[in-house]
Amino acid sequence: VNVGPVKIPADEAKGIQERTLDLPRSLHYSNVNLVDPVTGKPTRIHRQILDDGTKVRVAKRSGSIIPKPERQPYDKNVREPTESCTTEADGVWDITYDKDSELPPWERYEQMMGSDGAEI
Protein backbone atom coordinates (compact mmCIF):
# COMPACT_ATOMS: atom_id res chain seq x y z
CA VAL A 1 0.00 0.00 0.00
CA ASN A 2 2.67 2.50 1.02
CA VAL A 3 5.49 2.09 -1.52
CA GLY A 4 8.16 4.66 -2.24
CA PRO A 5 11.28 5.01 -4.38
CA VAL A 6 14.69 4.21 -2.91
CA LYS A 7 17.80 5.21 -4.85
CA ILE A 8 20.52 2.54 -4.99
CA PRO A 9 23.92 4.13 -5.70
CA ALA A 10 26.21 2.81 -8.43
CA ASP A 11 29.26 0.72 -7.60
CA GLU A 12 31.79 0.74 -10.45
CA ALA A 13 34.01 -1.85 -8.77
CA LYS A 14 31.22 -4.43 -8.83
CA GLY A 15 29.73 -3.22 -12.10
CA ILE A 16 26.41 -2.18 -10.55
CA GLN A 17 24.56 0.70 -12.20
CA GLU A 18 22.59 3.30 -10.29
CA ARG A 19 18.90 2.42 -10.08
CA THR A 20 15.70 3.21 -8.26
CA LEU A 21 13.56 0.55 -6.55
CA ASP A 22 10.06 0.84 -5.16
CA LEU A 23 10.25 -0.59 -1.62
CA PRO A 24 7.50 -0.77 1.02
CA ARG A 25 7.51 1.91 3.69
CA SER A 26 5.98 2.09 7.12
CA LEU A 27 2.49 3.49 7.62
CA HIS A 28 1.55 5.45 10.73
CA TYR A 29 -1.48 4.16 12.61
CA SER A 30 -3.16 7.58 12.47
CA ASN A 31 -3.42 7.25 8.68
CA VAL A 32 -5.57 4.13 8.93
CA ASN A 33 -9.36 4.10 9.39
CA LEU A 34 -11.36 1.46 11.19
CA VAL A 35 -13.79 -0.69 9.21
CA ASP A 36 -17.48 -0.08 9.81
CA PRO A 37 -18.99 -3.42 10.93
CA VAL A 38 -22.28 -2.70 9.10
CA THR A 39 -21.09 -1.36 5.72
CA GLY A 40 -17.61 -2.90 5.60
CA LYS A 41 -16.15 0.45 4.48
CA PRO A 42 -13.59 2.71 6.21
CA THR A 43 -15.09 5.08 8.74
CA ARG A 44 -14.13 7.71 11.27
CA ILE A 45 -15.20 7.22 14.87
CA HIS A 46 -16.41 9.24 17.81
CA ARG A 47 -16.60 8.25 21.45
CA GLN A 48 -19.83 7.88 23.34
CA ILE A 49 -20.66 7.02 26.94
CA LEU A 50 -23.47 4.49 27.30
CA ASP A 51 -26.10 4.52 30.05
CA ASP A 52 -24.14 2.01 32.12
CA GLY A 53 -21.07 4.32 32.05
CA THR A 54 -18.89 2.39 29.59
CA LYS A 55 -17.03 4.36 26.95
CA VAL A 56 -17.41 2.91 23.43
CA ARG A 57 -16.27 3.72 19.88
CA VAL A 58 -19.12 4.57 17.49
CA ALA A 59 -18.81 4.60 13.70
CA LYS A 60 -19.63 7.94 12.07
CA ARG A 61 -20.85 6.23 8.88
CA SER A 62 -23.54 3.95 10.36
CA GLY A 63 -23.69 4.80 14.07
CA SER A 64 -22.91 1.22 15.11
CA ILE A 65 -20.64 0.38 18.04
CA ILE A 66 -17.16 -0.84 17.12
CA PRO A 67 -15.92 -3.19 19.85
CA LYS A 68 -12.29 -3.09 20.93
CA PRO A 69 -10.36 -6.27 20.16
CA GLU A 70 -9.32 -8.59 22.96
CA ARG A 71 -5.71 -7.95 23.92
CA GLN A 72 -3.48 -10.94 24.31
CA PRO A 73 -1.24 -10.90 27.38
CA TYR A 74 2.35 -10.34 26.31
CA ASP A 75 5.40 -11.19 28.33
CA LYS A 76 8.48 -10.00 26.47
CA ASN A 77 10.83 -12.08 28.61
CA VAL A 78 9.28 -15.45 27.74
CA ARG A 79 10.07 -17.08 24.41
CA GLU A 80 8.42 -20.20 23.12
CA PRO A 81 10.88 -22.50 21.32
CA THR A 82 9.99 -23.46 17.77
CA GLU A 83 10.90 -26.51 15.73
CA SER A 84 13.43 -24.52 13.70
CA CYS A 85 15.39 -23.52 16.81
CA THR A 86 18.74 -25.14 17.29
CA THR A 87 20.62 -25.57 20.53
CA GLU A 88 24.02 -26.11 18.94
CA ALA A 89 26.08 -22.92 18.79
CA ASP A 90 27.91 -24.04 15.64
CA GLY A 91 24.68 -24.77 13.77
CA VAL A 92 23.32 -21.23 14.09
CA TRP A 93 25.54 -19.68 11.41
CA ASP A 94 24.85 -22.54 9.00
CA ILE A 95 21.10 -21.89 9.19
CA THR A 96 20.84 -18.10 9.40
CA TYR A 97 23.79 -16.87 7.34
CA ASP A 98 24.55 -17.74 3.73
CA LYS A 99 28.28 -17.10 3.40
CA ASP A 100 28.27 -17.99 -0.32
CA SER A 101 25.69 -15.33 -1.21
CA GLU A 102 27.28 -12.14 -2.50
CA LEU A 103 23.99 -10.50 -3.42
CA PRO A 104 23.30 -7.08 -1.90
CA PRO A 105 20.13 -6.78 0.18
CA TRP A 106 18.08 -5.09 -2.55
CA GLU A 107 18.79 -7.93 -5.02
CA ARG A 108 17.79 -10.52 -2.41
CA TYR A 109 14.60 -8.49 -1.96
CA GLU A 110 13.96 -8.52 -5.72
CA GLN A 111 14.42 -12.29 -5.80
CA MET A 112 12.07 -12.71 -2.88
CA MET A 113 9.38 -10.48 -4.45
CA GLY A 114 9.72 -11.88 -7.98
CA SER A 115 9.80 -10.02 -11.26
CA ASP A 116 6.18 -8.80 -11.13
CA GLY A 117 6.50 -7.29 -7.63
CA ALA A 118 4.25 -9.88 -5.97
CA GLU A 119 5.60 -11.86 -3.08
CA ILE A 120 6.54 -15.43 -3.98
Side-chain angles (χ1 to χ4, degrees), residues 54-106:
T54 59
K55 194 186 295 187
V56 294
R57 302 181 299 180
V58 179
K60 288 267 192 179
R61 189 177 289 261
S62 67
S64 62
I65 295 175
I66 301 176
K68 287 196 173 188
E70 293 286 328
R71 295 192 74 180
Q72 298 292 328
Y74 176 71
D75 187 4
K76 63 181 180 180
N77 296 327
V78 177
R79 292 186 184 177
E80 294 294 326
T82 62
E83 292 179 13
S84 64
C85 289
T86 178
T87 56
E88 301 171 12
D90 296 335
V92 173
W93 287 107
D94 294 337
I95 295 170
T96 60
Y97 176 68
D98 186 10
K99 63 183 175 187
D100 298 327
S101 175
E102 295 183 9
L103 294 175
W106 57 86

